[in-house]
Amino acid sequence: MKRMFTFLGMVLATYLVGSSAASATEYPLPPAGSRLIGENIAYPVPHDGRPLEAIASDFKIGLLNMLEANPGTDPYLPTPGSTLTIPTQMLLPDTPREGIVVNLAELRLYYYPKGKGTVIVFPIGIGQQGRNTPLMVTSVSEKRANPTWTPTANIRKRYLEEEGIKLPAVVPAGPDNPMGLHALRLAAHGGVYLLHGTNANFGIGMRVSSGCIRLRADDIEWLFNNVPVGTRVQIINDAVKTSVEPDGKRYIEVHQPLSKSAKDDPQTMAIPLNKQIQSFIHAVETDSQMVGDAIVRRSGMPILVSTGQSVEHFQEPALTAPETHQAAPISSANASQ
């Protein structure tokens, strides 16, 4: 019974932020020295014919994060009766826990509300190949509701050549605007990069934009209503995250790196490892074989890689919820396939 209450509390925490019943996923900050938050969820696919994007949206997860955690899943029609892993456990980025942190490689945005001891996590869409979202440390310079969109000459040319769409010089605000209904402008680079919504029901958790950071409509609305102008924003690109937890357990989280050309395969291309990560891997307390397996697998989930640890396979969750939209937490030790 205690475990069921834990499960129900986790699901409620996933869907509710504060008293506003908003759409974000909020986690309490871990203790000092820890970066591990959340628990993965086992989700039985119902017989309702919904695509993977719809399930991802229910749990506030990006599409690529779902595919990393569930390789081989049909994104258009996941097999009814099968069990999906909802990757709601993660390591916090190795950055100051302040303002907004965007990690391009994992297609997530972290927001640390000042003085609240929590972190709120959103899936995002980012720049396509050749239209990359740049790394930066900047701030929110402006918030705008019902933004208009002024596509550049290059964007108008690309739409015409690639999609046969002749864009106007200015796209007015409204439901057909690709910017959505809310936008937060970043100060760097002359203010050309924004966090904004979308008029599409796909593309979150993917490389889809011309360089801006795209969020689902309810997520950007939440940020618009809660993030002050002047908030610090840091954009990083870390495909590999590691942590040595206060209890000595060692975790690695590996995402597919951002491809640089059409020839790159994000599942097999080499991932540069900085000196800090190399030191983690080569430490005697780290099982190098498990690290190698994690880098090959690229599940996007924290993997326990401490020497001498026994890690269960992902197909064996400790508890499975029986009903649609119910899900059971899976401990971090199960996140290794």
Side-chain angles (χ1 to χ4, degrees), residues 189-200:
H189 299 277
V192 298
Y193 294 102
L194 301 95
L195 313 179
H196 64 77
T198 177
N199 64 341

Side-chain angles (χ1 to χ4, degrees), residues 207-285:
R207 300 182 68 179
V208 291
S209 78
S210 296
C212 288
I213 295 167
R214 184 182 299 184
L215 295 97
R216 293 188 178 110
D218 49 359
D219 290 344
I220 188 62
E221 182 178 7
W222 192 95
L223 286 171
F224 183 89
N225 291 330
N226 289 276
V227 173
V229 170
T231 295
R232 181 183 189 269
V233 178
Q234 182 173 5
I235 300 179
I236 63 174
N237 179 24
D238 291 348
V240 178
K241 298 184 290 182
T242 60
S243 178
V244 179
E245 292 294 295
D247 61 4
K249 291 181 179 178
R250 306 171 76 86
Y251 291 89
I252 190 167
E253 178 181 323
V254 185
H255 294 265
Q256 293 181 352
L258 300 183
S259 55
K260 298 179 180 179
S261 74
K263 296 180 180 180
D264 290 334
D265 180 355
Q267 187 59 43
T268 59
M269 62 186 290
I271 303 176
L273 303 175
N274 62 33
K275 290 183 179 179
Q276 180 180 342
I277 293 174
Q278 291 183 42
S279 177
F280 173 92
I281 292 173
H282 296 304
V284 295
E285 299 88 354

Side-chain angles (χ1 to χ4, degrees), residues 10 20 42 70 72 105 132 137 151 160 175 190 203 232-233 296 302 311 327 329 333:
M10 179 184 173
S20 61
N70 301 278
N132 298 332
V137 177
L160 185 61
R232 181 183 189 269
V233 178
V296 170
V311 182

Side-chain angles (χ1 to χ4, degrees), residues 39-321:
E39 290 184 273
N40 292 326
I41 297 172
Y43 176 77
V45 178
H47 295 258
D48 60 5
R50 296 195 310 152
L52 191 63
E53 162 61 28
I55 298 171
S57 180
D58 283 349
F59 288 95
K60 306 305 170 186
I61 300 293
L63 183 58
L64 183 57
N65 293 134
M66 289 290 288
L67 291 171
E68 283 183 329
N70 301 278
T73 299
D74 186 338
Y76 298 102
L77 186 61
T79 303
S82 65
T83 299
L84 294 175
T85 299
I86 310 298
T88 45
Q89 183 177 67
M90 61 203 73
L91 298 177
L92 293 176
D94 189 11
T95 61
R97 297 177 184 178
E98 177 185 353
I100 290 172
V101 175
V102 171
N103 188 1
L104 300 176
E106 63 176 311
L107 294 149
R108 286 189 184 122
L109 181 154
Y110 297 82
Y111 175 52
Y112 299 91
K114 190 173 182 179
K116 291 192 175 180
T118 62
V119 59
I120 305 168
V121 184
F122 301 89
I124 57 173
I126 63 172
Q128 306 168 49
Q129 276 183 15
R131 306 179 185 96
N132 298 332
T133 304
L135 309 184
M136 65 180 93
V137 177
T138 182
S139 63
V140 175
S141 62
E142 178 190 9
K143 299 197 296 185
R144 181 171 295 184
N146 299 309
T148 58
W149 179 38
T150 306
T152 65
N154 285 337
I155 290 177
R156 293 200 303 272
K157 180 181 178 182
R158 174 165 55 85
Y159 267 75
L160 185 61
E161 293 178 348
E162 297 179 5
E163 303 181 36
I165 298 174
K166 186 175 182 180
L167 292 174
V170 177
V171 178
D176 296 326
N177 190 318
M179 298 275 289
L181 301 179
H182 301 86
L184 281 68
R185 188 178 302 278
L186 303 183
H189 299 277
V192 298
Y193 294 102
L194 301 95
L195 313 179
H196 64 77
T198 177
N199 64 341
N201 292 323
F202 59 89
I204 302 304
M206 300 176 67
R207 300 182 68 179
V208 291
S209 78
S210 296
C212 288
I213 295 167
R214 184 182 299 184
L215 295 97
R216 293 188 178 110
D218 49 359
D219 290 344
I220 188 62
E221 182 178 7
W222 192 95
L223 286 171
F224 183 89
N225 291 330
N226 289 276
V227 173
V229 170
T231 295
R232 181 183 189 269
V233 178
Q234 182 173 5
I235 300 179
I236 63 174
N237 179 24
D238 291 348
V240 178
K241 298 184 290 182
T242 60
S243 178
V244 179
E245 292 294 295
D247 61 4
K249 291 181 179 178
R250 306 171 76 86
Y251 291 89
I252 190 167
E253 178 181 323
V254 185
H255 294 265
Q256 293 181 352
L258 300 183
S259 55
K260 298 179 180 179
S261 74
K263 296 180 180 180
D264 290 334
D265 180 355
Q267 187 59 43
T268 59
M269 62 186 290
I271 303 176
L273 303 175
N274 62 33
K275 290 183 179 179
Q276 180 180 342
I277 293 174
Q278 291 183 42
S279 177
F280 173 92
I281 292 173
H282 296 304
V284 295
E285 299 88 354
T286 301
D287 187 318
S288 58
Q289 178 61 53
M290 295 173 69
V291 168
D293 292 343
I295 291 176
V296 170
R297 169 67 174 82
R298 304 182 184 189
S299 69
M301 298 177 289
I303 304 297
L304 182 62
V305 293
S306 301
T307 302
Q309 293 289 332
S310 175
V311 182
E312 299 174 15
H313 286 291
F314 206 55
Q315 296 93 329
E316 301 174 357
L319 179 66
T320 302

